[in-house]
Amino acid sequence: MELLVVKNYEEMSKKAASIIASQVVIKPQSILGLATGDTPLGMYKELVEKYNRNEVDFSKVKTFNLDEYYGLEKENSQSYYYYMMNNFFKFINIDKNNVNVPKGTSDDVEEDCLSYEKKIKEAGGIDIQVLGIGVNGHIGFNEPNVNFEAQTHLVELDEKTIKSNARFFNSIDEVPKKAISMGIKTILQSKKIILLATGESKAEAIYNTLYGKISPEIPSSILQLHQDVTIILDEEAAKKLK
Ligand code: PGA
C-alpha cells in the first residue's frame, strides 16, 4: 500500500482529485467507482473546478457508486443518488445514462444486486475505486464481521454507523437500518483503489487498516491484500501511525 500523508483536508482533496483527473485524461472512457459521505466532498469540488478549467472531460466516463440506503427513493434528499447528482454529476458533462448507483428501492433486491455486478463486469471492471472509511473500519457499507467473499448485497448497518450518520438526518430514528453495498469482493476487483481519511476519529481505523491483522472484524484490513492501494490521509488521521 502506498501511503500519502498531507497537511489537511484541502490537500487530501486536491491529491485525490488529481489522481482521478489523470486517470480520466489517460483513459477518457474510464470506469470510476465512487463514494459518498463527508470525506470525498472536497475531491468532487476540486474535480468540478478542473472540469470548469477544461482540464478534464467526463463525457465518456462511467461511474458505479459503492452503496445506497435501502428504502430511500433516489429523489429523497438523503439518498446517495441525490448526493452524487447534487455534489458532482450536475456540474460536469457526464452522460447521466453512464451513472450507476445501487437501487435503494426494489421489488427484487437479489436480482438488482446481481445485475449491478453484471453491469460492472460488462463495463470492463472498475479502473479506480474511491473509498472513505468508517470509524469501525467499514468500507462501502461492509460492516465489521464482514464476509470477504460477498459481492453487491443487502447489508444491516452497524450501530456505530447509524450513530455516525445520524448527523445527516433530523433524528437517529430516521437513519435507514439497511443498505445495498458493493461487497468486499467487488471492491477488491477494482484495478486501483484510493482510500481517503481525514480527522482524528479515523486514526484508529487507519492504523488497523495498515497494520492490523487481516480480519472480518476490520473490513478495511483486507486492503492489505490488494496490489494497488493508495491511502491519502491528513495529519490527524495519520496520528496513530507515528
Ligand atoms: P464520512 O464517511 O466520509 O462521512 O466520514 C465515511 C464512511 O463511513 O465510509
Side-chain angles (χ1 to χ4, degrees):
M1 288 200 252
E2 190 188 353
L3 181 63
L4 297 174
V5 181
V6 296
K7 220 171 55 219
N8 53 30
Y9 181 75
E10 196 187 342
E11 295 298 313
M12 180 202 73
S13 304
K14 283 198 167 131
K15 186 70 208 162
S18 20
I19 294 173
I20 298 294
S22 48
Q23 168 69 39
V24 175
V25 169
I26 292 164
K27 182 181 172 192
Q29 65 282 48
S30 284
I31 313 300
L32 305 180
L34 297 177
T36 51
D38 276 336
T39 310
L41 281 173
M43 177 192 78
Y44 292 132
K45 206 165 142 266
E46 292 289 335
L47 282 169
V48 170
E49 283 170 19
K50 284 180 186 297
Y51 168 72
N52 287 334
R53 292 195 299 265
N54 290 323
E55 289 170 16
V56 57
D57 171 10
F58 292 97
S59 61
K60 297 194 178 74
V61 163
K62 273 196 186 135
T63 65
F64 288 90
N65 261 77
L66 276 172
D67 45 20
E68 178 60 283
Y69 284 121
Y70 182 64
L72 297 193
E73 300 282 350
K74 56 187 190 179
E75 295 77 18
N76 188 309
S77 62
Q78 302 294 353
S79 78
Y80 287 163
Y81 182 90
Y82 187 95
Y83 167 113
M84 289 308 300
M85 282 296 158
N86 289 285
N87 289 303
F88 191 34
F89 297 147
K90 77 173 183 193
F91 300 112
I92 59 170
N93 66 337
I94 195 161
D95 178 346
K96 303 298 179 292
N97 295 316
N98 286 341
V99 159
N100 299 280
V101 180
K103 246 201 247 165
T105 51
S106 168
D107 297 333
D108 191 341
V109 176
E110 225 166 283
E111 179 54 35
D112 279 352
C113 290
L114 284 173
S115 89
Y116 201 68
E117 288 288 330
K118 194 160 163 252
K119 238 175 160 180
I120 295 173
K121 279 205 183 77
E122 282 170 0
I126 291 169
D127 289 304
I128 183 163
Q129 174 68 54
V130 179
L131 297 176
I133 186 168
V135 289
N136 60 5
H138 78 194
I139 46 177
F141 272 136
N142 294 286
E143 303 286 26
N145 302 317
V146 70
N147 168 10
F148 285 145
E149 291 296 316
Q151 295 189 301
T152 302
H153 64 310
L154 181 66
V155 295
E156 305 263 349
L157 299 185
D158 187 63
E159 205 54 47
K160 275 192 183 165
T161 301
I162 292 173
K163 265 199 197 128
S164 157
N165 289 9
R167 68 192 194 276
F168 300 113
F169 292 81
N170 292 325
S171 82
I172 193 161
D173 301 328
E174 283 181 21
V175 185
K177 308 287 180 287
K178 293 182 186 178
I180 311 288
S181 179
M182 280 186 196
I184 294 290
K185 191 167 175 181
T186 325
I187 293 170
L188 290 181
Q189 281 166 347
S190 312
K191 290 164 200 146
K192 182 178 174 64
I193 293 173
I194 56 174
L195 184 145
L196 314 180
T198 178
E200 201 176 347
S201 67
K202 303 291 173 70
E204 192 178 342
I206 287 298
Y207 179 86
N208 289 331
T209 304
L210 280 148
Y211 303 120
K213 183 168 165 271
I214 299 174
S215 125
E217 299 281 304
I218 311 286
S220 56
S221 63
I222 195 75
L223 295 174
Q224 292 173 28
L225 298 184
H226 193 277
Q227 74 286 359
D228 191 352
V229 180
T230 301
I231 301 189
I232 312 174
L233 307 175
D234 68 356
E235 287 173 358
E236 295 286 299
K239 234 174 188 169
K240 290 220 153 94
L241 303 182
K242 286 175 191 148

